[in-house]
Amino acid sequence: MAYKYDSSARYAKTHDWVRIEDGLAVCGISDYAQHALSDVVYIELPDTGASYSQGEVYSTVESVKAAEEVYAPLSGEVVEVNPALEDAPELLNTEPYSAWIIKVRPTDLGELESLMDAAAYEAFINELDEKGGH
């Protein structure tokens, strides 16, 4: 399967992405993740002002197949949630890199070093596909 990648994003092994825009960490789920979920029907959005540590669950995405937790790729405080997802959670399927979930004021940009760039994430996905799992 040919997945899409955002070359400006960094990726976690949990299939979450982050890119820095105007000093904020914009976070979402990868194309690989939305394919694995299938048709997204609901997303539980966190509260603005909530703080999360890197790797901590901040949301749950539900599809016709499963419910999956979404993990914070960077530590920080939620300053905005994507209101479009409340009425149209399926945007995560059709536009995984523009349908961001949250924007975070990061507390440690050094955490970006622990994440993969698009090429490394693509290699990680290819390895997963070869093993037949996620």
Side-chain angles (χ1 to χ4, degrees):
M1 169 128 229
Y3 300 105
K4 292 182 222 133
Y5 301 91
D6 180 340
S7 61
S8 65
R10 303 287 290 194
Y11 297 85
K13 288 184 176 182
T14 50
H15 311 295
D16 307 285
W17 60 261
V18 60
R19 64 180 174 256
I20 304 301
E21 295 178 3
D22 301 322
L24 296 178
V26 181
C27 308
I29 63 170
S30 71
D31 190 40
Y32 178 87
Q34 71 83 15
H35 272 285
L37 279 165
S38 162
D39 298 327
V40 174
V41 294
Y42 176 76
I43 181 166
E44 182 183 321
L45 295 168
D47 293 327
T48 304
S51 291
Y52 297 92
S53 297
Q54 185 179 42
E56 193 174 356
V57 174
Y58 72 84
S59 176
T60 302
V61 175
E62 295 179 15
S63 72
V64 293
K65 270 173 45 169
E68 290 290 333
E69 295 176 326
V70 184
Y71 301 89
L74 292 180
S75 301
E77 178 189 344
V78 177
V79 293
E80 191 177 345
V81 297
N82 188 343
L85 295 178
E86 289 183 34
D87 296 325
E90 66 275 8
L91 289 172
L92 292 172
N93 291 122
T94 58
E95 305 168 20
Y97 298 110
S98 56
W100 53 275
I101 299 172
I102 58 172
K103 292 184 180 180
V104 171
R105 183 173 298 111
T107 53
D108 182 3
L109 286 175
E111 291 176 343
L112 285 169
E113 298 303 314
S114 67
L115 302 174
M116 296 173 274
D117 64 14
Y121 182 65
E122 184 174 7
F124 173 71
I125 294 303
N126 290 338
E127 195 176 297
L128 286 180
D129 280 351
E130 285 170 16
K131 292 179 181 171
H134 62 277

